[in-house]
Amino acid sequence: MTARLTGFLVVVALQFAILGSVIGYKGYTVATGETVLLKVVPVDPRSLFQGDYVNLAFDISRLDRTDKQDGVPLYGGRKVYVELVRGDDGYWRLVGVHDKIEPVADGRVLLKGAVTSDAFAPPGDTTVRVEYGIEQVYVPERSGRAIETSRAELGLEVKVDRFGNGVARRIFIDGQPYDLRQRP
Amino acid sequence: MICAPAARAVRLGPVATFISILGAIVLGTGVVFFFASNWQLLPAWFKVALVFVSTAVAYAAGYLLQFRSTVLPRVGAALIFLGALLFQAGIFLLAQIFNMPVNSPIALLLGAAGILPLAYVVGSRVVLALAIVDALAWLGWQLFNRYPEPPQVFAVPLMYILAGIVVYCASHWHRLRAGANSFASVYEMLGLAAMLIPVYALSYGGFWESAQRSDLDQLRVPFWFPATVALALAAAASLMLGRRDDRVVWAEAFAFGAIALCVALVAYVRGWADGYALLFNGVYFGLALLACVRGYLEGEARFVNLGIPAIAIGLVTRYFDTFWDLLPRSAFYIIGGLVLLAVAAGLERLRRRLLSNIGGAGGGMATEARP
């Protein structure tokens, strides 16, 4: 075996390891994470390049900019950990915001997010937008619009691991899991 | 003496390379669109398998054709490039399959990390260009994510200039090693582009007016910024390694060092913001001119082919910038049209004269057959 072929095989193996790590990274969160149900409002479906998806927003997608979380004001690019607790209706709601991962009481989880730009926010808007990496859920082609315009109550099941990483799992419509293989 | 068919074959070499690479890009795009339009019909395990298998097949076929066959080495190189494209697309597709946000810059960094060593193993400049573009795109995306709001967002073009200096100077490190010499031109062109594009943006007066409105005085320079400036200065100084008697290298090292210091000045001295548009106009035209001079003196046509259009774009931009509000519309367009034609004719004549002095308009990267 030549040195070039050996190097080539090593590099291809490295690339496959990188591809595998993409799966493994989220696989860990799915395997070990706490299941959390978030109330959602879908917006802006469809991506030409990626097929259909629904872009979701949650109650926790906007935080008050004037609030200081752990003594530090929120600004674009800042990492935050929102503390969630399960409500009586099954949906999880916000009870606190932290700037680092820390132990929380039983029955509560920390979900990691990042404050995004609000450069185009209307004047006087005192909130900031936070993204958690669970906003995009891919759905069958041409079904994104139907989900968006649905008047049903929508929820998103999320797995949250001990590091605060979240993975979107299933959309719930009126409390029932939506089968991604079916069009509504 | 080369006979006519042989000469034609030599001329067709770069064309075959170009068409092969174009074919790889079109094929890769088709595969991604196939995923996009059929993904709901395919089970997850099949989609994952498809990503791995399609990448492996492209690499295997490419390696065999480029290195084990004497018949279609250019097609083989293009197939390896296709494999690299499929690997990069595969990261995004796997993210999509598992509902990860695909608007994450980390996918580009992972792509660059996987593709860069491949470029060196197979000796492919087009694969190297893909890796560098990936890395530069990651840098911009990551910075925009980290500093999305004004005035911090204005630091993004400054960082690109520093990154451009480092990428450009990496070309010299490759020239010092005989085996990696062919990669130098890729680093030079992409480094120069990474500098010229943000400098062009910073040459607009409107950019600095916007920065002033966004409380530029509140700009918090990240803690790692001085280290980046120092890295760019060190990279500029490294150009002198092994070539201390070369005046062009001296000029480049001095110019890049001065540009890095200009970037530091902007980051730390905000009170002079009114004059920064003028400063960056000087930097822009100076860089473009330096590229032309380097191309002319070193006999490298690609520098002239990049520098002359950059000068033309700069002149046209400043004409629009300056006279849009000063002249009546009809006079603006008539004079502007005449000026454009005159500038285009003058620059084209200059470019041809420089290229003929160099020894052929097809010099530089265009004549090199290797992908």
Side-chain angles (χ1 to χ4, degrees):
Chain A
M1 189 181 286
T2 64
R4 178 187 282 137
L5 179 57
T6 306
F8 184 74
L9 291 175
V10 168
V11 170
V12 173
L14 168 72
Q15 291 191 356
F16 281 11
I18 289 173
L19 290 172
S21 71
V22 175
I23 302 169
Y25 174 68
K26 287 298 166 180
Y28 170 81
T29 301
V30 170
T32 64
E34 176 94 29
T35 303
V36 168
L37 188 63
L38 297 172
K39 189 175 258 184
V40 301
V41 179
V43 288
D44 184 26
R46 194 165 185 83
S47 155
L48 177 67
F49 199 61
Q50 302 150 356
D52 260 21
Y53 67 88
V54 281
N55 226 355
L56 304 171
F58 315 95
D59 294 341
I60 55 172
S61 293
R62 297 207 77 89
L63 300 178
D64 198 322
R65 182 192 282 271
T66 57
D67 281 350
K68 290 188 176 182
Q69 273 79 34
D70 293 340
V72 182
L74 295 178
Y75 53 82
R78 197 185 152 203
K79 195 184 290 183
V80 293
Y81 294 85
V82 294
E83 187 175 345
L84 303 172
V85 66
R86 192 173 189 274
D88 295 337
D89 57 357
Y91 292 106
W92 291 58
R93 58 185 173 79
L94 178 76
V95 289
V97 181
H98 309 266
D99 67 347
K100 58 182 181 295
I101 196 104
E102 54 191 69
V104 292
D106 284 348
R108 296 185 177 193
V109 297
L110 290 180
L111 177 61
K112 184 167 67 179
V115 181
T116 64
S117 172
D118 265 14
F120 303 105
D125 186 357
T126 61
T127 62
V128 291
R129 197 157 63 87
V130 180
E131 288 187 353
Y132 300 93
I134 53 174
E135 285 77 8
Q136 291 177 349
V137 175
Y138 296 91
V139 294
E141 202 169 9
R142 291 184 291 278
S143 66
R145 180 71 64 185
I147 293 174
E148 180 204 35
T149 54
S150 168
R151 293 183 178 278
E153 187 174 272
L154 296 171
L156 179 70
E157 185 183 276
V158 180
K159 285 281 190 178
V160 183
D161 67 22
R162 63 195 179 95
F163 302 108
N165 300 307
V167 175
R169 295 294 292 161
R170 291 187 295 178
I171 290 178
F172 279 69
I173 299 179
D174 282 335
Q176 296 299 314
Y178 168 59
D179 186 349
L180 291 180
R181 288 166 300 185
Q182 301 293 321
R183 287 180 185 152
Chain B
M1 183 175 160
I2 302 173
C3 62
R8 199 176 305 124
V10 169
R11 283 199 302 274
L12 283 175
V15 177
T17 299
F18 174 75
I19 292 175
S20 298
I21 291 169
L22 191 65
I25 292 171
V26 171
L27 189 56
T29 307
V31 170
V32 172
F33 273 105
F34 171 79
F35 265 92
S37 58
N38 295 284
W39 84 276
Q40 77 275 19
L41 303 174
L42 309 170
W45 67 266
F46 186 77
K47 287 181 278 187
V48 172
L50 212 52
V51 167
F52 281 90
V53 170
S54 60
T55 307
V57 167
Y59 279 145
Y63 188 89
L64 288 174
L65 285 176
Q66 186 174 5
F67 299 113
R68 296 296 166 92
S69 155
T70 55
V71 184
L72 296 169
R74 293 172 197 279
V75 175
L79 284 174
I80 290 177
F81 177 60
L82 171 65
L85 287 175
L86 290 174
F87 162 66
Q88 177 63 82
I91 296 174
F92 283 103
L93 290 167
L94 289 175
Q96 175 181 329
I97 291 166
F98 293 97
N99 279 327
M100 289 162 65
V102 292
N103 57 347
S104 169
I106 192 74
L108 290 173
L109 183 63
L110 290 173
I115 294 169
L116 190 65
L118 176 71
Y120 285 86
V121 168
V122 299
S124 169
R125 294 189 304 168
V126 69
V127 172
L128 175 67
L130 177 63
I132 297 172
V133 168
D134 264 358
L136 289 173
W138 163 79
L139 177 69
W141 198 348
Q142 181 69 33
L143 286 171
F144 270 118
N145 273 3
R146 183 71 186 84
Y147 306 105
E149 294 184 23
Q152 277 77 14
V153 72
F154 295 120
V156 177
L158 299 179
M159 276 303 299
Y160 255 108
I161 295 171
L162 298 175
I165 291 173
V166 175
V167 170
Y168 185 95
C169 295
S171 69
H172 180 59
W173 312 335
H174 286 75
R175 285 195 194 286
L176 292 175
R177 293 190 60 202
N181 199 22
S182 65
F183 282 169
S185 60
V186 180
Y187 283 99
E188 282 164 351
M189 290 299 103
L190 291 176
L192 205 50
M195 280 186 270
L196 275 172
I197 292 169
V199 167
Y200 174 77
L202 295 173
S203 70
Y204 275 91
F207 180 93
W208 294 103
E209 288 167 17
S210 171
Q212 292 283 49
R213 280 198 303 274
S214 304
D215 297 328
L216 191 62
D217 291 341
Q218 303 300 314
L219 180 64
R220 287 186 299 272
V221 179
F223 70 93
W224 44 261
F225 191 80
T228 317
V229 173
L231 179 66
L233 285 171
S238 75
L239 286 174
M240 314 293 286
L241 291 171
R243 289 170 66 186
R244 287 185 187 169
D245 54 342
D246 190 330
R247 281 179 303 169
V248 176
V249 168
W250 272 91
E252 281 184 342
F254 176 78
F256 295 151
I259 292 169
L261 291 176
C262 282
V263 168
L265 183 77
V266 172
Y268 290 102
V269 185
R270 267 85 72 173
W272 299 349
D274 292 339
Y276 285 149
L278 195 62
L279 175 71
F280 279 98
N281 267 291
V283 172
Y284 178 79
F285 285 106
L287 261 179
L289 202 60
L290 184 65
C292 293
V293 171
R294 159 88 192 258
Y296 178 71
L297 292 178
E298 304 270 323
E300 294 172 298
R302 60 179 179 277
F303 282 96
V304 177
N305 288 330
L306 183 70
I308 293 288
I311 290 173
I313 290 169
L315 289 175
V316 171
T317 304
R318 292 293 78 87
Y319 172 78
F320 272 82
D321 229 14
T322 310
F323 293 109
W324 179 258
D325 292 326
L326 296 180
L327 291 174
R329 285 292 168 270
S330 56
F332 174 84
Y333 282 113
I334 291 170
I335 296 171
L338 291 172
V339 169
L340 282 177
L341 289 172
V343 167
L347 290 175
E348 180 57 20
R349 282 191 61 187
L350 175 63
R351 191 182 78 92
R352 284 185 183 281
R353 197 181 312 144
L354 290 173
L355 292 179
S356 67
N357 287 348
I358 286 170
M365 284 176 83
T367 55
E368 295 177 40
R370 285 183 59 199

